[in-house]
């Protein structure tokens, strides 16, 4: 329940960090006539990095950054910008930061005339390549047995080398002059072994460079034209070791195919898809709708992600991943996963794999990362009870594998004992299908053990089909929505109850059935294929009109489910969606490799939580929850065993059999009541439990304390959004907001910059303003938002300010005229001042503060200036917050979390 007019929140969060798109350069290995234009230069910056950009402009997107001394190949210079290729990426840099000589001696190019070739020789594991000749130096990468390296110098037991295009130091004792790894040929000129294969050069134009080593900075031996037959020996990190025209060297694997594409079609089609892995040094690999850098991006693939390759042509691979088909640049695929995250000490004995289980809270998940660090990319998320294979543990991190996916997790959240809550062993008994049979609008609790005192796992709606494994003592062990638990057997039936009648429900006291407004609803997530959308329709049929489309991860409130359709409310709209695309847990979003870490600040209030509860109880906080309610015997005239009439005025209905229980509400003289039971109270009176069917009632002290206590809402990113500080900017990217939130939103389309300007001018969160405008204007379609003529001028009102009931259009237009809002931008910026002057600039700049105003209670000893009376108001708004934030990648979150005395 609300007391004043304030926007309903429609914005959201994604627990994923903002990141820049990696734009992959043109195929630098196939540049035509490169000898005519190119020259070698070096990065020369006094500090920091040099930005490589998509085009010759400081406003262009940054593709990569280079440190001082980085060698680059320059193809052209104009207007102070140089077009270059470096580290396999093409773009533009400021010419002033390039020099013909490398002024950074620490990164100078090594002279090949002094180098010798050696091979890695370790008994097990891999050999660490470090930044300097010390075991305490930072790791650059790891090298497997048999890796060919170029040695430039040796001193104090360390060799300075280059391997796979990377420079560093390794322990000299693990290098040999001969390659002892049997999987490769003993010398470069050796006759191909049985493991060698024939492949063909496949470039769209120009020629393919054969180099001395697997690096774009390595010396070019010769150039191979399209269709040239080569003998293929091995592949690593996107480079293939080959022999062509009697010469051995390395070429980019992306330009080799199994069939000679120069004799027919330019595309190589495999009879069966092959498995490849994403191989990028940083960022992510764009998967596009077609084989072009101009095509729209479907997904962003993290390093090491497995993909199915169906065909290759002109430097592009047709792949499948996450059930979607698209195209990626072939040069960033490799036949094997890089060892860079698999560093082990040479000669160390391998740890035996062990089985462990994820132990997190019911609604949480455990991040699997691509390296043992919180800065590592999130590969996937694991729920409680998931079994994993642990290969090693170090520094609080475990290297694990789950369902074919390798990565690292925090060791603190693994246990050798399988958690009981959601991992009940599947019984051996014969399975039987049954249906939940409770009253319409009610739900049945599924618990983690056969007791009403045990915790609730799920709430099951009428008609939900479940699998029953066993029954004992009035409880059934069941499976529903892929979870196991226990339900009261009396609320199950062998037939599916009808939608329009309550006669199927079992009569009697429903002690484990939630027949309340609050418990009718359950939150679920839209779980469609990434990049797809779920239609919200006007009726439970595919013929129903589409109200809106919901993206993956959107939270919806489910009221009922019937015949595979769910009636839901989302972002202020109600309709029907297909139940099969809803899930109880948030689906993982593959395009966001890292979590968005919200900044948390704490705000101390010098008042105990118990005293704060007492202050709130004095103003009768409301709830839509259903309680067992009681009234004393002397308030009633008993008509029969099931009905009575109130015989006086002003009688209280309480939350228990005694005057020591809180007052749930009142009844009036002559009001009929249904009697449910009779008990003896602690005051000696008989108390009758009665049916008290009010939409809103006074909340219990326990429920008030629950919503006041922040510890109950900080375990998940979504719940914690009621502490989002709305007086701070979200640092939004206007282009992203226009494309992902305001696109197609009528008069609001393209106006992200106005919202951002308004937010900064009046210290209001931009998402707050956008959500308010979307709500008030009907997504930019209302008459006030599209313009109203008044006194010869067109005025705009984006927040509905001054638009009173009964005269909304005229009064809202007059307010806009008086305020001078003659453009959409003026209405957005000017209206935000009005919004800020309410609760936000008064210091109540979180949803929690708007609802509870703890500062007033702590200072004055009473409750005041509270936006709503509903105890769950702040917690209920976060679904809409989440759904708007989840549409964008770039933003900042600051949480202001209250703490209390004792």
């Amino acid at each position: 329940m609300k007391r004043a007019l304030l926007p309903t929140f429609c914005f959201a969060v994604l627990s994923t960090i903002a990141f820049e798109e990696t734009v992959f350069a043109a195929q630098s290995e196939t540049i035509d006539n490169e000898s005519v234009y190119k020259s070698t230069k070096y990065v020369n910056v006094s500090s920091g990095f040099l930005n490589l950009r998509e085009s010759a402009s400081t406003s262009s997107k940054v593709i990569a950054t280079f440190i001082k001394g980085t060698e680059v190949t320059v193809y052209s210079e104009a207007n102070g910008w140089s077009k270059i290729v470096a580290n396999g990426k093409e773009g533009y840099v400021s010419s002033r930061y390039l020099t013909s000589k490398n002024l950074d001696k620490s990164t100078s190019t090594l002279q090949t005339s002094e180098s010798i070739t050696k091979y890695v020789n370790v008994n097990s594991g891999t050999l660490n390549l470090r930044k300097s000749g010390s075991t305490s130096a930072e790791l650059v990468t790891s090298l497997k047995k048999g890796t060919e390296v170029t040695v430039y110098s040796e001193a104090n037991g360390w060799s300075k080398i280059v391997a796979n295009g990377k420079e560093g130091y390794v322990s000299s004792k693990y290098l040999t002059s001969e390659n002892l790894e049997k999987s490769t040929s003993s010398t470069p000129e050796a006759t191909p072994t049985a493991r060698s294969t024939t492949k063909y050069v496949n470039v769209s134009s120009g020629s393919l460079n054969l180099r001395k080593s697997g690096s774009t900075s390595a010396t070019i031996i010769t150039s191979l034209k399209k269709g040239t037959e080569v003998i293929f020996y091995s592949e690593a990190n996107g480079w293939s070791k080959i022999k062509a025209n009697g010469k051995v060297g390395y070429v980019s694997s992306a330009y080799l195919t199994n069939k000679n594409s120069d004799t027919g079609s330019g595309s190589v089609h495999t009879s069966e898809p092959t498995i490849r892995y994403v191989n990028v040094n940083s960022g992510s690999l764009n998967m596009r709708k077609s084989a072009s850098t101009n095509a729209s991006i479907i997904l962003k693939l993290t390093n090491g992600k497995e993909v199915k390759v169906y065909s290759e042509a002109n430097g592009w691979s047709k792949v499948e991943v996450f059930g979607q088909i698209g195209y990626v640049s072939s040069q960033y695929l490799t036949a094997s996963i890089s060892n860079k995250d698999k560093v082990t000490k040479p000669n160390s004995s391998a740890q035996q794999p062990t089985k462990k289980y994820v132990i997190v809270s019911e609604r949480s998940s455990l991040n699997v990362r691509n390296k043992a660090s919180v800065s590592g990319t999130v590969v996937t998320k694991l729920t409680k009870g998931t079994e994993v294979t642990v290969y090693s543990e170090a520094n609080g991190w475990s290297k694990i594998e789950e369902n074919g996916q390798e990565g690292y997790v925090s060791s603190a959240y693994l246990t050798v004992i399988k958690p009981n809550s959601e991992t009940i062993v599947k019984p051996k008994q014969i399975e039987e299908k049954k249906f939940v049979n409770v009253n319409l609008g009610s739900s049945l609790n599924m618990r983690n053990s056969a007791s009403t005192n045990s915790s609730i796992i799920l709430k099951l709606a009428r008609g939900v089909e479940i699998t029953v494994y066993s029954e004992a003592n009035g409880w059934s062990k069941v499976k529903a929505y892929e979870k196991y638990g226990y339900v009261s057997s009396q609320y199950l039936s062998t037939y599916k109850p009808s939608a329009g009648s309550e006669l199927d429900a079992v009569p009697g006291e429903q002690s484990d059935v939630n027949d309340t407004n609050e418990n009718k609803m359950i939150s679920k997530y839209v779980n469609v294929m990434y990049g797809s959308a779920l239609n919200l329709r006007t009726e439970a049929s595919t013929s129903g009109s589409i109200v809106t489309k919901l993206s993956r991860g959107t939270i919806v409130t489910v009221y009922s489910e019937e015949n595979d359709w769910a009636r839901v409310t989302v972002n202020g709209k109600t309709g029907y969606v297909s139940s099969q695309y809803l899930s109880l847990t948030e689906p993982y979003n593959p395009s966001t490799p890292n979590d968005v870490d919200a900044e948390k600040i704490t705000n101390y209030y010098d008042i105990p939580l118990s005293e704060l509860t007492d202050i709130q109880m004095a103003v009768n906080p409301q709830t839509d929850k259903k309680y067992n309610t009681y009234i004393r015997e002397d308030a009633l005239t008993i008509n029969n065993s099931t009905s009575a009439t109130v015989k006086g005025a002003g009688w209280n209905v309480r939350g228990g059999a005694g005057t020591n229980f809180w007052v749930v509400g009142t009844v009036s003289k002559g009001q009929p009541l249904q009697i449910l039971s009779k008990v003896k109270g602690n005051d000696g009176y008989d108390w009758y439990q009665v049916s008290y069917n009010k939409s809103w009632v006074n909340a219990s002290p326990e429920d008030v304390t629950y919503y006041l206590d922040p510890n109950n809402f900080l375990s998940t990113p979504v719940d914690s959004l009621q502490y989002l500080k709305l007086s701070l900017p979200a640092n939004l990217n206007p282009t992203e907001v226009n494309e992902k939130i305001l696109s197609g939103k009528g008069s609001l389309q393209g106006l992200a910059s106005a919202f951002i300007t308004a937010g900064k001018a009046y210290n209001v969160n931009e998402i707050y303003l956008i959500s308010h405008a979307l709500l008030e204007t009907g997504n930019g379609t209302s008459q006030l938002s599209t313009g109203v003529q008044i006194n010869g001028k067109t005025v705009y009102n984006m927040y509905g300010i001054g638009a009173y009931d009964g005269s909304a259009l005229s009064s809202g237009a007059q307010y806009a005229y008086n305020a001078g809002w003659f453009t959409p931008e003026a209405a957005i910026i000017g209206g935000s001042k009005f919004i800020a002057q309410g609760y936000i600039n008064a210091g109540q700049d979180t949803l929690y503060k708007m609802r509870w105003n703890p500062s007033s209670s702590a200072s004055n000893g009473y409750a005041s200036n509270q936006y709503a009376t509903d105890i769950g108001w702040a917690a209920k708004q976060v679904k809409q917050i989440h759904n708007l934030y989840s549409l964008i990648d770039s933003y900042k979150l600051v949480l202001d979390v209250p703490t209390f005395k004792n």
Side-chain angles (χ1 to χ4, degrees), residues 764-784:
V764 185
N765 180 286
E766 307 96 298
I767 288 290
Y768 177 99
L769 296 174
I770 292 172
S771 67
H772 191 174
L774 289 171
L775 177 70
E776 293 294 337
T777 65
N779 291 326
T781 61
S782 72
Q783 204 169 343
L784 280 173

Side-chain angles (χ1 to χ4, degrees), residues 636-646 671-673 675:
L636 301 177
T637 298
I638 307 300
N639 301 322
N640 54 51
S641 62
T642 60
S643 69
T645 303
V646 179
Q671 181 176 337
L673 293 176
I675 296 175

Side-chain angles (χ1 to χ4, degrees), residues 309-328:
V309 179
Y310 290 99
S311 63
E312 294 182 69
N314 303 323
W316 290 87
S317 293
K318 184 177 181 180
V319 303
E320 179 182 355
V321 61
F322 294 119
Q324 297 215 70
I325 300 292
Y327 295 82
V328 298

Side-chain angles (χ1 to χ4, degrees), residues 214-469:
S215 168
T216 54
S217 61
T219 304
I220 298 174
I221 301 172
T222 187
S223 296
L224 308 175
K225 65 180 182 179
K226 183 176 182 179
T228 301
E229 180 180 304
V230 303
I231 298 173
F232 169 85
Y233 294 108
S234 62
E235 183 181 12
N237 302 319
W239 290 86
S240 293
K241 185 175 183 181
I242 66 151
K243 182 177 181 181
N245 301 331
K247 296 181 179 181
V248 174
Y250 295 81
V251 297
S252 175
S253 302
Y255 303 106
L256 294 182
T257 64
N258 295 319
K259 295 182 180 180
N260 189 352
S261 58
D262 199 31
T263 61
S265 169
S267 177
V268 180
H269 297 282
T270 59
S271 58
E272 293 290 336
T274 58
I275 300 299
R276 293 285 181 93
Y277 300 90
V278 174
N279 182 28
V280 292
N281 292 327
S282 62
S284 54
L285 175 61
N286 293 328
M287 184 169 109
R288 299 183 180 271
K289 281 191 174 181
S290 61
S292 168
T293 54
N294 295 322
S296 60
I297 298 171
I298 302 172
L299 294 173
K300 295 175 183 289
L301 307 178
T302 55
N303 188 48
K305 181 62 188 175
E306 179 184 299
V307 302
K308 290 181 181 179
V309 179
Y310 290 99
S311 63
E312 294 182 69
N314 303 323
W316 290 87
S317 293
K318 184 177 181 180
V319 303
E320 179 182 355
V321 61
F322 294 119
Q324 297 215 70
I325 300 292
Y327 295 82
V328 298
S329 176
S330 301
Q331 64 179 310
Y332 298 106
L333 297 181
T334 180
S336 59
I337 299 177
S338 170
N339 285 326
K340 69 180 181 179
D341 290 322
K342 302 179 181 181
V343 180
T344 58
K345 293 183 179 179
N347 294 326
S348 63
S349 58
Q351 178 178 326
Q352 289 296 320
T354 59
K355 296 292 183 184
K356 288 192 177 183
Y357 302 90
V358 174
I359 179 72
V360 292
S361 62
E362 302 290 350
R363 299 180 62 188
S364 302
S365 58
L366 178 61
N367 290 330
V368 181
R369 300 183 182 271
N370 70 345
K371 61 181 179 180
S373 168
V374 291
S375 63
T377 299
V378 177
V379 179
T380 187
K381 295 174 181 283
L382 305 178
T383 56
K384 181 178 180 179
T386 302
E387 180 182 294
V388 300
T389 302
V390 179
Y391 292 102
S392 62
E393 293 187 63
N395 302 319
W397 290 88
S398 293
K399 182 181 177 184
I400 64 108
E401 179 182 359
E402 192 276 328
N403 197 26
Q405 179 73 63
E406 285 191 358
Y408 295 83
V409 300
S410 174
S411 301
Y413 298 102
L414 296 180
T415 177
V416 294
I417 301 174
K418 194 170 186 178
N420 292 324
S421 176
E422 295 188 18
T423 55
I424 298 170
V425 178
K426 188 174 180 179
K428 301 296 185 181
Q429 293 94 325
I430 298 174
E431 301 174 8
E432 181 182 5
K433 298 295 183 184
K434 288 192 176 183
F435 300 88
V436 174
N437 188 5
V438 293
N439 287 332
L440 289 172
S442 301
S443 59
L444 178 62
N445 294 328
M446 185 168 92
R447 299 180 179 273
N448 69 354
S449 63
S451 168
T452 55
N453 295 323
S454 62
S455 60
I456 298 171
I457 300 172
L458 293 175
K459 296 179 184 291
L460 305 176
R462 174 184 170 91
V464 171
E465 181 181 301
I466 63 175
T467 303
V468 179
Y469 296 109

Side-chain angles (χ1 to χ4, degrees), residues 798-875:
M798 299 303 190
Y799 304 114
I801 298 171
Y804 304 113
D805 291 342
S807 62
L809 185 61
S810 59
S811 59
Q814 186 63 53
Y815 191 101
Y817 181 84
N818 295 339
W821 298 342
F822 303 127
T823 65
E825 290 83 358
I828 290 171
I829 296 171
S832 65
K833 179 180 180 181
F834 177 91
I835 293 173
Q837 287 173 342
Y839 289 85
I840 294 178
N841 286 354
Q844 291 174 253
D845 57 352
T846 69
L847 296 174
Y848 181 92
K849 291 179 186 178
M850 288 180 185
R851 169 57 190 93
W852 299 110
N853 195 10
S855 178
S856 172
S857 297
S859 301
N860 306 320
Y862 57 84
S864 66
N865 200 38
Q866 295 182 344
Y867 172 66
T869 58
D870 178 10
I871 60 173
W873 179 82

Side-chain angles (χ1 to χ4, degrees), residues 737-738 742 747-756 798 824-825 828:
V737 173
N738 281 330
L742 298 180
S747 59
L748 300 179
Q749 181 165 314
L751 296 181
S753 293
F755 286 107
I756 292 172
M798 299 303 190
E825 290 83 358
I828 290 171

Side-chain angles (χ1 to χ4, degrees), residues 144-146 179-186 193 195 233-234:
K144 65 181 180 180
K145 184 175 182 180
N179 188 357
L180 303 181
E181 176 65 10
K182 295 181 180 180
S183 63
T184 59
S185 54
S186 58
T193 67
R195 304 185 75 164
Y233 294 108
S234 62

